[in-house]
Amino acid sequence: MVTSFVILIIGFAALVWSADRFVYGAAALAKNMGIPTLIIGLTVVAMGSSAPEMMVSASAALAGKTDTAVGNAVGSNITNILLVLGITALLRPLSVSSTTLKREMPLVLLVSVASWYIFSDNFFSFGEGIALLVGFIVFLVGLVIISLRDKNQADDPFVSEACEDIPDNVSTGSALFWLVVGMILLPISSHFLVGSAVDIAKYFGLSDLMIGLTIIAIGTSLPELAACIAGVLKNEDDLALGNIVGSNLFNLLAVLPLAGIINPSIIDPSAANRDALIMIGATIALIAMSLNLRGARRINRIEGGLLLVAFIAYQGYIFSQIG
């Protein structure tokens, strides 16, 4: 068991590092190829925080653990809002000024409801996975078109901050090197991470779904937590919140489909009856706090505390269901 914990920790560290190197190389290469900075910032860089979840879900689905892959996507969304946003807002209240985020938040809710509908028959099919993936492609294309047409988009704080994360003055050879390193280490680290998480979960009597909702979801959300804390410390509130909103959209439209596409199968009824509903409720809370009808676009410390308490209560509840 000690060995499994060591492999888990090393796996998480390698996964996060290789994802960062992959995005670094991909973004630098795209820039060297002449792709507009705005497009790179809204696609490659924005997807970077979801790269660990994508690889873990793919590895879990390939291993026949569809419930773990589903739990990873849904659990990461719950963790991002209740834990990551909760801790971040406790450190410092978050103001919301980005029009991009205000436009994307209702979309997160819409996709969350669609995911619940997919889970409601307790089967995740290949066609449903493809439908979500098509939705992801449509979203990306639409986002880029709107951003390019909107002359004021460059002034949007979320967009400008995302574009600032694109590496500059990186040679094509160096970009290719880090891209290949990331491509090699991502699947290897995710494979060992999933294997060790399964061993630990079996030891404690956790179901495949709970593995994804707890150990893996929390672990793969650590980069979002680090990014959000760094964002608020630099007074980049929109970038911090954008990491959560963007990650949640990508989790449902790019990470979740992998489970149905790679290994269509019956899924745990709790995914629809409990976890998807919690995800929807957390998303509604995020929208209510961010788009206050009284006009104050701010998530305060009290609201952050409530989110964190909700996360602890949720984790306590699902662990109480063991056995």
Side-chain angles (χ1 to χ4, degrees):
M1 187 50 57
V2 173
T3 301
S4 295
F5 271 110
V6 172
I7 293 175
L8 181 74
I9 294 171
I10 295 175
F12 272 128
L15 184 69
V16 172
W17 184 82
S18 57
D20 176 75
R21 293 295 85 193
F22 174 80
V23 173
Y24 176 87
L29 182 62
K31 187 169 185 178
N32 290 350
M33 293 173 63
I35 298 175
T37 300
L38 179 64
I39 295 178
I40 301 173
L42 292 174
T43 55
V44 178
V45 174
M47 289 177 61
S49 61
S50 290
E53 284 91 341
M54 292 180 71
M55 292 309 305
V56 168
S57 285
S59 295
L62 287 169
K65 304 288 185 180
T66 301
D67 278 332
T68 300
V70 168
N72 175 37
V74 174
S76 290
N77 279 20
I78 294 172
T79 302
N80 283 345
I81 297 175
L82 299 184
L83 177 64
V84 175
L85 183 59
I87 291 176
T88 305
L90 277 174
L91 290 176
R92 205 193 73 177
L94 290 167
S95 59
V96 186
S97 56
S98 170
T99 55
T100 301
L101 295 182
K102 295 171 186 176
R103 183 171 59 232
E104 290 183 5
M105 285 182 189
L107 184 56
V108 176
L109 178 59
L110 178 63
V111 179
S112 296
V113 173
S115 300
W116 166 80
Y117 179 76
I118 288 174
F119 301 153
S120 62
D121 63 353
N122 301 328
F123 187 84
F124 197 178
S125 70
F126 177 83
E128 291 167 336
I130 291 295
L132 288 173
L133 193 58
V134 169
F136 176 63
I137 296 172
V138 171
F139 163 71
L140 278 185
V141 172
L143 180 62
V144 169
I145 291 175
I146 291 173
S147 299
L148 291 175
R149 287 181 177 177
D150 188 353
K151 296 181 180 180
N152 297 321
Q153 196 70 23
D155 298 326
D156 186 291
F158 170 60
V159 175
S160 62
E161 288 161 8
C163 291
E164 288 175 0
D165 286 344
I166 300 173
D168 199 12
N169 298 322
V170 179
S171 67
T172 300
S174 179
L176 282 171
F177 172 78
W178 288 117
L179 181 64
V180 172
V181 168
M183 291 176 65
I184 293 174
L185 290 182
L186 271 170
I188 294 175
S189 57
S190 61
H191 171 75
F192 282 101
L193 188 154
V194 170
S196 60
V198 169
D199 290 340
I200 294 170
K202 286 182 177 178
Y203 180 82
F204 289 105
L206 303 180
S207 67
D208 288 343
L209 179 64
M210 289 183 66
I211 297 172
L213 291 169
T214 56
I215 300 173
I216 295 178
I218 295 173
T220 54
S221 291
L222 292 179
E224 279 86 353
L225 178 59
C228 286
I229 292 176
V232 296
L233 291 179
K234 293 186 293 184
N235 295 321
E236 297 175 342
D237 292 11
D238 283 302
L239 184 58
L241 190 55
N243 283 325
I244 293 174
V245 175
S247 178
N248 282 19
L249 262 178
F250 292 146
N251 283 343
L252 295 179
L253 292 177
V255 177
L256 183 60
L258 298 177
I261 294 173
I262 296 175
N263 187 43
S265 65
I266 296 173
I267 57 176
D268 192 321
S270 295
N273 301 335
R274 180 190 63 202
D275 307 307
L277 295 177
I278 296 294
M279 177 177 66
I280 292 172
T283 304
I284 292 174
L286 170 61
I287 294 174
M289 293 176 182
S290 302
L291 308 179
N292 196 311
L293 296 177
R294 293 174 296 179
R297 303 295 187 261
R298 197 174 183 85
I299 302 176
N300 59 45
R301 286 191 173 90
I302 294 177
E303 291 168 332
L306 290 175
L307 291 175
L308 188 57
V309 168
F311 177 77
I312 295 172
Y314 168 66
Q315 291 292 315
Y317 175 74
I318 60 175
F319 274 102
S320 71
Q321 304 301 303
I322 297 177

